[in-house]
Each structure stands twice: as C-alpha cells, then as structure tokens.
Amino acid sequence: MGRPLQQTDDEIERRLRAAGTAGEGDIDIAETALLLAACDRPDLSLGNYRDHLALLCGAVREAMDRASQCDAHELAELLGGVISGLHGYRGDAETYDDPRNANLMEVIDRRKGLPVALGIVWLHVAARLGLDLAGLNFPGHFVLRLRTEGSGPRDAAIVDPFNGGQLLTSADLLSMIRQVEGPDAALSPDAYAEVSPRDILLRLQNNILMRAVRSNDFARARDVVTRMIWIAPERAGLLFELGRLEVHDGRMGAAIDAFASCYEKAVDLGEDRIAEMAEQALRELKPRLN
C-alpha cells in the first residue's frame, strides 16, 4: 500500500508534540520545520519535500567526494555552490515580509526565504553528512558557523545563507550588529554562541507570529504560538504570550487558563519574573469575568 498523500492534523500535532519532548540532539530540524509548514499546507504531501532535501544531500556528498581535503572556508563555499549555486536558494530581499518565506514547504518550492528558513536547509544537509555546522545567536540576522576537524575558533567559517552562503569576516559581523544595535555596539561572545535546533525552530515561527500580530490577526497568532508550545512545552513565556493573544482575541476564559498554566510552569521552573507576570495578569482578568 502506498503512503498517504498527506498527514492528518492530529498526526502533525502528535509528531510536533513528540519533538517537544525530544532531546536537542534528537530533533530533526528540517522534518520538524516541514511539519510546522504542513500546519498551514495540509493539502500537500511531505514526501516530495523530503525527497528534495535528500537530493540536496546527495549533490553535496558528490561534490565533497570530488574535492580534495577542504578547510572550513572551502567546505562552506562547496556547500554554497550546491545549495545556492546549483539549486538556486537565495534570500527574498524583494518581498522579505512575505509569510511564505518562513514556511519550509514554500521555501523549497520557491527556492527563497528568510535567513533562518534557508539556514535550516543548510543545517539539514550538514547534519546528514556529519558536518559541524551550527546556527549562531547573532542578533537581527541568522548566520551559521562551520568548523572542520581539528580547526580552532579562528579557522571557522561564518556563513550567511541569505546571501548565497557568503563568507563573513569579523568586520562584516561588526557592521551588521551595529545596524541593529547602534554605532557603538561591539561583538560579544554571545553573538558567537550556538543556538539549539529548538531555538532555531522557534525563531522561524516567531517570524510568522510577528507578522500576524502586526496585521492584528490574533487568531492566526494564537495558532502559531500553540505550535510553538507543542515543540517547546517547557518555555513558560510562550504560555504567557498565548494568554496575551487570547485577551486580544476576546477569549477571556481561555486567557485565564493560559496564564494559570504559565504561572504553574514558571513556578516549577523557578522563573520568578514570568510567574509574577502571570499572577498579575490573573489578578487583572478574573474580576472581568464576574
């Protein structure tokens, strides 16, 4: 019997919740991003997208087999030559805020998207081939760091997936961070810190969330935050954000439930500030239901 054309909403939710309880090393970042995309495109099969990602992996593997031993910068250029050069992946600078740029299905179809969505494609390929590629906690623009065996910190390649895999120097990074944080900003160790697959997926979804909030589509925003909670159930702040969105959408009972769950989760995790915020929200909301 052939595989079904598409997964049901229940199956998608079940698998996203399973990712939420998985360890960081067990999260398949591209597969989870495809499941998140399928929440908005339930009419499409995931099979073709999985096949395309496998094709990318095969093409990079062939290019690596043809190349002599590469350092990190040469390997990054090889990856960029396949992903951006041969297969045409690029950043969508013309319609940056198009919500399709954060949906991995649409990104694969259109071969363009946001930095974090394109970065997920790079990360998937690298993981399949055993390469040491990681996303960084760089503000404002998602970048990647590639290392090779035996290389030191200064030998790593910093890659911009939005701009065809452009290799970034420290001067480039300083210029970028000053565009976000002002002319006196400096590069700190935090900007070079690795981020987890879960945090990358949340960053991807946060792009969709911000656009929904800006357009006052609070029902859409609520759906997106719910998915974020599925994949990161231990983030109490997401429950607080859900409560705020329920208030904006006029669902006060649901807002109280969300803030109550947030309070309990924050207390369990020792996150006092979030617990206090949730408790204050409950004090303000409960009289409105009487």
Side-chain angles (χ1 to χ4, degrees):
M1 179 181 295
R3 294 177 63 182
L5 292 177
Q6 60 202 54
Q7 300 185 85
T8 65
D9 290 345
D10 287 346
E11 184 181 359
I12 291 170
E13 178 180 346
R14 179 187 63 77
R15 295 193 61 201
L16 288 173
R17 286 184 180 276
T21 59
E24 290 293 350
D26 296 323
I27 294 175
D28 185 327
I29 192 167
E31 179 69 14
T32 307
L34 285 175
L35 289 167
L36 290 164
C39 292
D40 293 326
R41 295 300 309 271
D43 55 312
L44 297 179
S45 166
L46 297 184
N48 291 337
Y49 299 97
R50 293 170 178 145
D51 290 345
H52 173 73
L53 291 171
L55 177 68
L56 283 179
C57 294
V60 171
R61 188 184 301 277
E62 289 179 6
M64 290 175 61
D65 289 343
R66 292 193 299 268
S68 57
Q69 186 173 3
C70 299
D71 64 20
H73 291 76
E74 292 166 336
L75 185 55
E77 289 178 344
L78 184 151
L79 281 162
V82 174
I83 296 172
S84 298
L86 183 60
H87 287 275
Y89 280 91
R90 60 185 177 84
D92 186 359
E94 295 81 12
T95 54
Y96 190 87
D97 286 329
D98 188 326
R100 293 179 295 175
N101 287 330
N103 180 299
L104 189 58
M105 287 180 167
E106 300 276 9
V107 170
I108 291 173
D109 286 338
R110 301 165 68 233
R111 301 293 196 270
K112 60 182 179 180
L114 293 174
V116 65
L118 297 169
I120 286 172
V121 174
W122 281 67
L123 288 163
H124 173 81
V125 172
R128 286 291 185 268
L129 300 181
L131 304 178
D132 184 2
L133 183 70
L136 298 186
N137 186 40
F138 195 83
H141 190 79
F142 187 70
V143 297
L144 304 164
R145 177 172 59 203
L146 179 65
R147 290 172 168 161
T148 50
E149 187 176 355
S151 64
R154 294 189 177 184
D155 301 319
I158 307 297
V159 181
D160 181 358
F162 190 76
N163 289 300
Q166 175 188 355
L167 297 177
L168 301 172
T169 65
S170 295
D172 294 327
L173 294 171
L174 182 59
S175 176
M176 291 165 62
I177 204 168
R178 286 179 172 173
Q179 291 176 28
V180 175
E181 298 184 352
D184 297 326
L187 285 170
S188 69
D190 285 346
Y192 291 97
E194 294 185 7
V195 289
S196 69
R198 197 181 318 276
D199 281 321
I200 293 170
L201 291 163
L202 290 174
R203 185 166 176 167
L204 178 73
Q205 293 302 289
N206 197 52
N207 280 283
I208 303 173
L209 173 61
M210 289 189 300
R211 286 156 177 78
V213 170
R214 282 204 300 263
S215 62
N216 293 321
D217 188 349
F218 296 113
R220 164 73 167 157
R222 188 177 68 243
D223 288 344
V224 175
V225 170
T226 297
R227 298 166 196 169
M228 295 169 77
I229 292 169
W230 291 346
I231 65 172
E234 296 304 305
R235 305 292 175 94
L238 291 173
L239 289 164
F240 187 84
E241 183 63 24
L242 179 61
R244 292 179 60 221
L245 292 169
E246 299 286 19
V247 170
H248 280 297
D249 209 29
R251 294 159 47 97
M252 299 307 170
I256 286 176
D257 290 343
F259 286 130
S261 296
C262 174
Y263 176 79
E264 293 173 4
K265 178 69 68 176
V267 168
D268 288 345
L269 296 174
E271 297 182 0
D272 295 340
R273 185 182 66 85
I274 294 177
E276 291 171 5
M277 290 167 57
E279 190 173 29
Q280 177 63 30
L282 287 168
R283 281 197 298 267
E284 294 174 358
L285 274 181
K286 285 183 176 178
R288 296 168 63 176
L289 291 184
N290 295 333

